[in-house]
C-alpha cells in the first residue's frame, strides 16, 4: 500500500498574483525539513502539497513530525493512495481505515471528486465507502451531522486518496516570507512566545541575548540557547547574538537614581538591539512585552523605551495576559525551560520601586549622567554569535 502525506494550505489560498512566491518559500522549507528523513517526491496541486516516499527507506513518521512545524500548512492528512476505481477504493478503505477509527463512536464518509471523468458522483462514492466502513468496523455508527471523525476520499488526477482525521499544522505564513526580525530573547516565558508568534507570520527570526557575567551564570546562558534550539524547530535554525551589559549595569548602579535603573537599562538594550539589527539586516525588533505586566511595560514606560530607536518594534504579546502567554509556551514546548530558576540580566540590580509613569525629560536627565555612546560602543564590541540548528 502506498502511503503519502497531504498538506493543506491555510491563508495562502487567499493570495493573488504573488501566491507563487509564498508557495515556493513554503516548498523550499518543506524540502529542507523532510530531507532529513529520506528521499521524498514533493508536488502540489489544488491547494494541496503531496509528500510521497521515493523509496522504502524514507521515514514517513519522521516527515510527518517535521511537517507539523512548517508554517503555511494548516492541516496534515496521512493517506493511502490507490488506483482510481471503486474496487481499489473499497479494498483500500477496508484495509487502511479501521486503525484510524479506534476509540471513535461515530463517523461520516465524504468524497471529493476533482477528476470529473471518474464515473461516480461524490455522494455515491461516499455512500459506498460508508457501507465498507460499517462492514469493516461494525461497532461504529454513522452520524452525518456531528461525526467524531470523517473518512475522506479524494479522487484526483493520478490517484484516489483515502484518509481519516486531520492533524493540525502550524498555520501562519511561510518562514521568511515577511522579512527578518531581531528577537530580544531573555530566559523568561514571554520572549520565546513572541518569537514564535512573529515566525508564524513569516518573519525570519534572529535573536539577541543580553548577559551580565559574573552576575549571570553560564547555566543561564545555556538556558537561553536551549530556548533558541526549541524555536529553531519551527524556524529551521536561528542565530543567537550575545552582548554583555555588565559595564553598563555597573555604571548605572554607581551614578543614576535607582528608580530609573530599569528604564535606563531598557533604553541601552533597545539601542544595542537596533545596532545589531542593522548589522545583520533585520528590519524590526521583537519583544515579549505585555501591557501592564511589569513596571517597564506600562504605556508610559514603553513610550520612553521606544523613543530610543527608529526601527519598528513588534510586540505580538502586548494584549495577552500571562495565562494566555503560558498556554502558547506550553504548546510550542518552551515553558518547562523558561521556568528553570536561572537569573537573567533584567534581575540584576533590580530597583525596589521602579518608575511606572516616567517622564522622558527626567529619564534623559539621568541618562546624561553617563557617556551613553561610549558605553553602547563598548558593549557592542562584546557581541558574538552562536548558530543553533544551522550548518
Amino acid at each position: 500500500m502506498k502511503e503519502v502525506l497531504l498538506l493543506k494550505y491555510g491563508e495562502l489560498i487567499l493570495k493573488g498574483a504573488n501566491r507563487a512566491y509564498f508557495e515556493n518559500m513554503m516548498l523550499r522549507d518543506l524540502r529542507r525539513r523532510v530531507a532529513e528523513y529520506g528521499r521524498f517526491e514533493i508536488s502540489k496541486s489544488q491547494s494541496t502539497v503531496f509528500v510521497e516516499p521515493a523509496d522504502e527507506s524514507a521515514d514517513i513518521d519522521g516527515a510527518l513530525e517535521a511537517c507539523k512545524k512548517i508554517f503555511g500548512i494548516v492541516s496534515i492528512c496521512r493517506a493511502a493512495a490507490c488506483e482510481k476505481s471503486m474496487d481499489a477504493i473499497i479494498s483500500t478503505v477496508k484495509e487502511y481505515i479501521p486503525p484510524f477509527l479506534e476509540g471513535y463512536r461515530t463517523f461520516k464518509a465524504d468524497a471529493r471528486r476533482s477528476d470529473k471523468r471518474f464515473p461516480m458522483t461524490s455522494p455515491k462514492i461516499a455512500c459506498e465507502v460508508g457501507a465498507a466502513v460499517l462492514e469493516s468496523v461494525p461497532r461504529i455508527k454513522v452520524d452525518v451531522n456531528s461525526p467524531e471523525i470523517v473518512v475522506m476520499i479524494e479522487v484526483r488526477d493520478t490517484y484516489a486518496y483515502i484518509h481519516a482525521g486531520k492533524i493540525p499544522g502550524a498555520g501562519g505564513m511561510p518562514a521568511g516570507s515577511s522579512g527578518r526580525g531581531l528577537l530580544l530573547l531573555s530566559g523568561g516565558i514571554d520572549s520565546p512566545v513572541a518569537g514564535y508568534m512573529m515566525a508564524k507570520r513569516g518573519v525570519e527570526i534572529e535573536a539577541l541575548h543580553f548577559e551580565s557575567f559574573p552576575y549571570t551564570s553560564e547555566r543561564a546562558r545555556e538556558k537561553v540557547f536551549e530556548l533558541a534550539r526549541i524555536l529553531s524547530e519551527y524556524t529551521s535554525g536561528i542565530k543567537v547574538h550575545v552582548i554583555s551589559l555588565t559595564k553598563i549595569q555597573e555604571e548605572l548602579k554607581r551614578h543614576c537614581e535607582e528608580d530609573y535603573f530599569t528604564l535606563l537599562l531598557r533604553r541601552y538594550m533597545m539601542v544595542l538591539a537596533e545596532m545589531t539589527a542593522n548589522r545583520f539586516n533585520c528590519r524590526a525588533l521583537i519583544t515579549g512585552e505585555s501591557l501592564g505586566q511589569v513596571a517597564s511595560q506600562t504605556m508610559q514606560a514603553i513610550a520612553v523605551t521606544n523613543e530610543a530607536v527608529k526601527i519598528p518594534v513588534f510586540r505580538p504579546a502586548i494584549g495577552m495576559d500571562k495565562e494566555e502567554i503560558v498556554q502558547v509556551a506550553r504548546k510550542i514546548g518552551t515553558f518547562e525551560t523558561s521556568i528553570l530558576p536561572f537569573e537573567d540580566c533584567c534581575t540584576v540590580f533590580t530597583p525596589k520601586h521602579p518608575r511606572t509613569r516616567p517622564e522622558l525629560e527626567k529619564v534623559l536627565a539621568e541618562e546624561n549622567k553617563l557617556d551613553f555612546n561610549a558605553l553602547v560602543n563598548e558593549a557592542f564590541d562584546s557581541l558574538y554569535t552562536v548558530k543553533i540548528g544551522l550548518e
Side-chain angles (χ1 to χ4, degrees), residues 369-389:
K369 293 179 178 180
L370 303 176
D371 189 337
F372 187 91
N373 290 333
L375 285 171
V376 164
N377 290 333
E378 183 178 349
F380 194 65
D381 286 342
S382 72
L383 184 148
Y384 64 93
T385 300
V386 176
K387 296 180 180 180
I388 296 178

Side-chain angles (χ1 to χ4, degrees), residues 186-221:
S186 71
I189 298 171
D190 304 342
S191 58
V193 168
Y196 166 82
M197 292 173 70
M198 293 310 302
K200 186 174 181 179
R201 298 312 307 157
V203 176
E204 180 185 350
I205 299 296
E206 295 197 12
L208 172 61
H209 175 63
F210 294 104
E211 63 181 6
S212 299
F213 184 81
Y215 306 107
T216 57
S217 65
E218 179 67 27
R219 295 182 73 182
R221 181 194 305 160

